[in-house]
Amino acid sequence: MSEILAVEARHLTVRFGDFAAVKDVSFTVRPGEIFGFLGANGAGKTTTIRVLCGLLAPTEGVVRVGGIGFENGAEPIKRKVGYMSQKFTLYDDLTVEENFDFTSSLRKLDPAIAARRRQELLDFISFSRPLDTFVRDLPGGLRQQVSLAAALLHDPEIVFLDEPTAGVSPAARALFWALIRKLAASGKTIFVTTHYMDEAEYCGRIALMRSGELIALDSPEGLKRSTFPAPLYELSPRSEGARIRIPELKRDPAIASLEAYGIRFHVAPRSEPEWERALPELRGDFEIRRIQPSLEDVFIRLVEGGNR
Amino acid sequence: MKLSRALAISRKEVRHILRDPFTLLLALVLPVLTTIIFGYAIEFNMRNIPTAVHDGDRTLSSRTLLESFGSSRYYLLEPATGTPEAVQALSADRARAAIIIEPGFEARLRSGRGAKAQLIIDGSDNSAAGAILGYLAGVQSIAAARLLDPAPPPSAIALEPRFLFNPELNSRWFIVPGLTVVVIAILSILLTSLTVAREWENGSMELLLSTPVEPVEIIVGKLLPYTVMGLAGMFLIYLGARVVFSVPFAGSHLAYLLASALFLAACLGQGLLISVLLRKQQLSMQFAMLSGLLPSILLSGFIFPIEHMPLFFRILTSILPPRWFILASRQIHLQGAGIADIAQPLLMLSLIAAALVGLASRKFKRDLEP
């Protein structure tokens, strides 16, 4: 274990009064990894990120970011990380240049270095507009990219992105993820939360949180395998009458889980022989086809299934 | 604390201010507008009070008496045809006072039995009634001197009032120095309370905190531009008072600057405390207006004298900055006070400002530090 871990959390607990937002969470992130952080709203994702960015002290447990903990206060951690919050990106009434200047002054960067970094980052995101454009005049996708560049200004080792693509068009999301992959390839560690399952597929590993607890941690493929060891089937009702049978099927002993996906349903059988027995009767009402489980199946099974 | 980081925040804040028409308007127009409104519209001196007159005597003496009223400039006489009509002018609000002289006025005067005339005053407006009554004594002595041939002997004890510092009791001289308190209180409490609440509300506070910036740097950086703005507002009102209303400035400018700066610090601290506690712009704005306006108008001595308040309010006002600043401001403007003369207000303002800024910083620091 000579390699320094990018992020290390051991038995991390954060309490606000009597409420525990994060309960005994442990995980590690390797340098250069794209680490996805998934969970429903209020699962404790943002609280965990705030601790890792030095915005909040852990109530219990140990946190090390870039090999540095809280022993000398939060400032050494803040130097190591870049943070892009979900709520706020840039000041609307300032220009792109003024936003950059503000961030580099707060980080006390040398003006010459800051100017060079700024140009590199603007090239990196292929920013072609005038620097005196007001942020409010930028389209949503471009604004996220500029915000990412601002978070990278002090060349942090680890970048925390809290729902960076919320409310952005699909094309802009794809562009943003191309940037994220490029960053990871250049050695930066990316710690990202998202509600888009297609984005989660891009992550090297995914941590799933539910009510403050870490309930799963694996690669996307590993998560799919461990959550759905048996094959998954998609049921398309042939008629309205078939749809009415759904509540009854949910109680069927042959079926482990049944979730609605739009007008179709995803079914995980309890065992292959039982499923084979139930199949002929089901074919009358449903069109049935075998599918590969998606991360969405995993998410719904683990995160939302647990709340029922 | 690093000055460069605090200045970076100030620079950003100045940009926000310059690009926000509402803030700019508030900062520049409010002082000018309120000076004009208060200076011109609020007038405690009364002139040409409409007065209905019924002269039932119609003699030289009764006319001389009425002329004494008319020539005083305070009363504007409007003849009525009878007592009922004069009283009706009062109730219809066409007159604020009525003078009734019954037949036989001159006869009684000549016979030495003591002549009487009746003055009826509209009592529904307290301060106007008080002023009308106040002018009466002067008119009475003028009339007596004219009407009685050997002039009446002076009373054994004569009280001769003379008003120091403001000989004509010019109410503008009294109001305009107090005006600064209202304008600055609203301006600085409101603007500072918005500035921190805005960062909380739009989430940018979190971004600020993800950088190594310290709470004290945020506070200093935020307060600096508003201090400059507040002092500029004070200067505008000072100019307006001196140039437009010719309010005398008898005291020390240094003392005035010192008192202004301390009062401003207290207001900024109050605004900061509000926004640190409430964290919402809408709520902060309402609370700032309320806590800025009410004490500075009602409990500062600006309009209602503190000495006449019940004990509870007298004690309450002593922890409110506006009371001390108004006291200092009037002493400097009209009585020619220097720093030593206003030591007590200065001391109280320093204490209150230190308490407010200290409280706000402590609460702010506790909220921010991990």
Side-chain angles (χ1 to χ4, degrees):
Chain A
M1 287 287 283
S2 60
E3 186 186 40
I4 294 178
L5 289 163
V7 178
E8 193 180 354
R10 301 242 175 264
H11 306 293
L12 169 65
T13 297
V14 182
R15 267 192 284 272
F16 300 108
D18 287 337
F19 171 71
V22 178
K23 302 170 200 160
D24 195 20
V25 166
S26 301
F27 61 87
T28 57
V29 182
R30 288 184 303 276
E33 192 174 7
I34 302 182
F35 190 81
F37 214 47
L38 270 57
N41 289 326
K45 288 174 296 174
T46 300
T47 306
T48 307
I49 288 192
R50 281 187 174 162
V51 172
L52 297 177
C53 288
L55 293 178
L56 203 65
T59 317
E60 283 161 32
V62 176
V63 159
R64 303 186 79 75
V65 180
I68 290 172
F70 270 90
E71 49 292 321
N72 294 319
E75 220 189 296
I77 294 182
K78 290 180 180 176
R79 267 192 253 277
K80 289 261 179 189
V81 305
Y83 176 46
M84 191 175 150
S85 89
Q86 55 173 322
K87 227 177 135 191
F88 177 83
T89 48
L90 299 161
Y91 290 98
D92 270 0
D93 54 344
L94 301 188
T95 66
V96 172
E97 184 172 24
E98 287 164 353
N99 267 293
F100 275 106
D101 282 352
F102 181 56
T103 309
S104 39
S105 314
L106 288 189
R107 296 252 178 214
K108 290 178 65 66
L109 302 181
D110 178 78
I113 296 174
R116 206 185 62 228
R117 276 292 292 167
R118 190 179 74 196
Q119 198 46 54
E120 284 169 12
L121 287 165
L122 290 174
D123 292 343
F124 171 68
I125 63 169
S126 316
F127 187 81
S128 56
R129 301 194 181 213
L131 276 177
D132 59 357
T133 311
F134 282 102
V135 168
R136 62 166 171 263
D137 296 330
L138 295 178
L142 196 51
R143 180 193 298 223
Q144 298 304 102
Q145 294 172 23
V146 173
S147 173
L148 175 67
L152 294 170
L153 212 49
H154 59 291
D155 205 9
E157 294 169 28
I158 303 136
V159 191
F160 289 88
L161 309 172
D162 197 0
E163 289 183 37
T165 54
V168 168
S169 77
R173 283 208 286 133
L175 216 60
F176 196 87
W177 271 88
L179 292 177
I180 291 181
R181 283 201 296 274
K182 228 156 87 181
L183 273 179
S186 74
K188 299 241 183 284
T189 308
I190 314 286
F191 198 108
V192 60
T193 75
T194 181
H195 282 304
Y196 298 107
M197 293 304 139
D198 57 327
E199 293 185 348
E201 300 269 5
Y202 296 134
C203 299
R205 281 190 308 150
I206 294 171
L208 267 171
M209 282 195 84
R210 188 181 65 206
S211 11
E213 289 170 43
L214 190 68
I215 54 171
L217 174 59
D218 206 341
S219 66
E221 287 315 310
L223 276 179
K224 288 173 196 169
R225 268 200 309 277
S226 59
T227 315
F228 297 99
L232 197 65
Y233 296 90
E234 185 187 72
L235 271 60
S236 313
R238 292 183 199 275
S239 65
E240 270 313 300
R243 196 172 287 278
I244 293 169
R245 292 190 59 198
I246 294 299
E248 167 210 329
L249 285 179
K250 279 194 176 171
R251 291 191 297 271
D252 194 311
I255 290 171
S257 81
L258 187 149
E259 302 293 342
Y261 279 78
I263 59 166
R264 299 188 180 82
F265 300 88
H266 289 187
V267 170
R270 205 172 292 280
S271 74
E272 205 63 21
E274 275 179 284
W275 180 248
E276 291 298 332
R277 272 196 299 280
L279 210 50
E281 190 260 333
L282 281 174
R283 285 201 201 280
D285 282 330
F286 300 97
E287 236 172 79
I288 297 174
R289 128 186 123 84
R290 191 177 165 161
I291 53 166
Q292 286 301 316
S294 68
L295 269 181
E296 199 151 349
D297 294 308
V298 173
F299 187 83
I300 290 178
R301 178 78 173 271
L302 293 180
V303 172
E304 299 187 352
N307 292 337
R308 289 188 187 148
Chain B
M1 143 118 191
K2 293 278 191 300
L3 194 63
S4 65
R5 280 200 292 246
L7 286 178
I9 289 182
S10 295
R11 207 159 48 233
K12 174 189 79 93
E13 209 59 37
V14 168
R15 285 175 177 147
H16 285 318
I17 294 169
L18 292 180
R19 282 165 197 167
D20 178 19
F22 170 73
T23 312
L24 265 187
L25 207 72
L26 207 64
L28 296 177
V29 175
L30 190 74
V32 176
L33 207 65
T34 38
T35 312
I36 291 170
I37 291 175
F38 276 85
Y40 278 116
I42 296 188
E43 174 70 284
F44 292 152
N45 304 332
M46 299 196 68
R47 295 245 195 279
N48 297 331
I49 302 157
T51 309
V53 175
H54 171 57
D55 183 0
D57 197 40
R58 292 167 194 277
T59 53
L60 184 65
S61 304
S62 69
R63 276 195 295 278
T64 312
L65 175 66
L66 289 176
E67 206 190 281
S68 312
F69 275 95
S71 61
S72 70
R73 290 195 332 231
Y74 296 124
Y75 302 89
L76 182 70
L77 303 185
E78 279 154 18
T81 50
T83 309
E85 203 205 318
V87 175
Q88 217 227 318
L90 267 180
S91 49
D93 264 351
R94 274 179 281 122
R96 306 298 290 270
I99 303 168
I100 316 282
I101 303 173
E102 299 290 346
F105 177 80
E106 191 175 55
R108 289 173 70 93
L109 189 69
R110 297 244 181 277
S111 65
R113 281 178 294 164
K116 285 179 184 155
Q118 190 177 21
L119 181 71
I120 308 170
I121 300 172
D122 176 359
S124 58
D125 181 343
N126 248 353
S127 61
I132 295 169
L133 207 60
Y135 303 134
L136 194 63
V139 175
Q140 195 177 13
S141 67
I142 292 169
R146 284 178 174 181
L147 285 174
L148 303 174
D149 195 4
S155 332
I157 303 167
L159 294 178
E160 282 182 26
R162 193 166 71 87
F163 297 104
L164 286 179
F165 312 123
N166 188 358
E168 290 178 32
L169 286 185
N170 186 327
S171 63
R172 271 178 204 144
W173 288 14
F174 189 65
I175 284 181
V176 176
L179 186 62
T180 324
V181 81
V182 180
V183 178
I184 296 309
I186 298 172
L187 196 71
S188 51
I189 296 176
L190 184 65
L191 293 180
T192 31
S193 77
L194 287 181
T195 171
V196 179
R198 184 171 51 213
E199 304 261 10
W200 279 116
E201 208 173 276
N202 66 17
S204 47
M205 191 58 90
E206 203 173 299
L207 205 80
L208 284 184
L209 298 178
S210 73
T211 69
V213 71
E214 288 168 33
V216 60
E217 292 160 356
I218 298 181
I219 289 187
V220 170
K222 289 246 164 207
L223 291 191
L224 209 60
Y226 293 103
T227 310
V228 174
M229 206 145 99
L231 285 174
M234 285 184 162
F235 183 68
L236 273 181
I237 301 170
Y238 169 82
L239 268 190
R242 302 278 284 137
V243 176
V244 182
F245 298 111
S246 316
V247 174
F249 192 94
S252 139
H253 279 91
L254 187 68
Y256 191 56
L257 186 69
L258 196 63
S260 301
L262 284 174
F263 177 61
L264 193 62
C267 287
L268 294 174
Q270 190 178 335
L272 199 64
L273 190 63
I274 290 172
S275 65
V276 164
L277 288 177
L278 299 180
R279 294 191 177 190
K280 290 271 178 292
Q281 288 192 75
Q282 193 71 32
L283 211 59
S284 296
M285 185 153 154
Q286 286 166 1
F287 203 77
M289 282 307 256
L290 202 72
S291 70
L293 210 56
L294 285 189
S296 58
I297 289 186
L298 299 180
L299 298 175
S300 61
F302 175 43
I303 295 176
F304 306 111
I306 287 168
E307 298 75 32
H308 296 171
M309 290 178 184
L311 182 67
F312 169 74
F313 284 101
R314 265 179 291 162
I315 294 169
L316 180 69
T317 56
S318 62
I319 59 162
L320 298 173
R323 177 222 167 123
W324 298 110
F325 182 63
I326 286 215
L327 184 67
S329 173
R330 281 186 180 144
Q331 285 184 353
I332 296 167
H333 272 91
L334 302 179
Q335 298 179 14
I339 289 180
D341 305 307
I342 55 165
Q344 192 202 11
L346 287 183
L347 183 72
M348 288 306 289
L349 281 174
S350 319
L351 286 178
I352 297 168
L356 285 171
V357 174
L359 213 61
S361 314
R362 234 185 71 184
K363 172 85 181 108
F364 192 56
K365 204 166 138 72
R366 251 214 312 270
D367 286 357
L368 299 192
E369 285 197 338

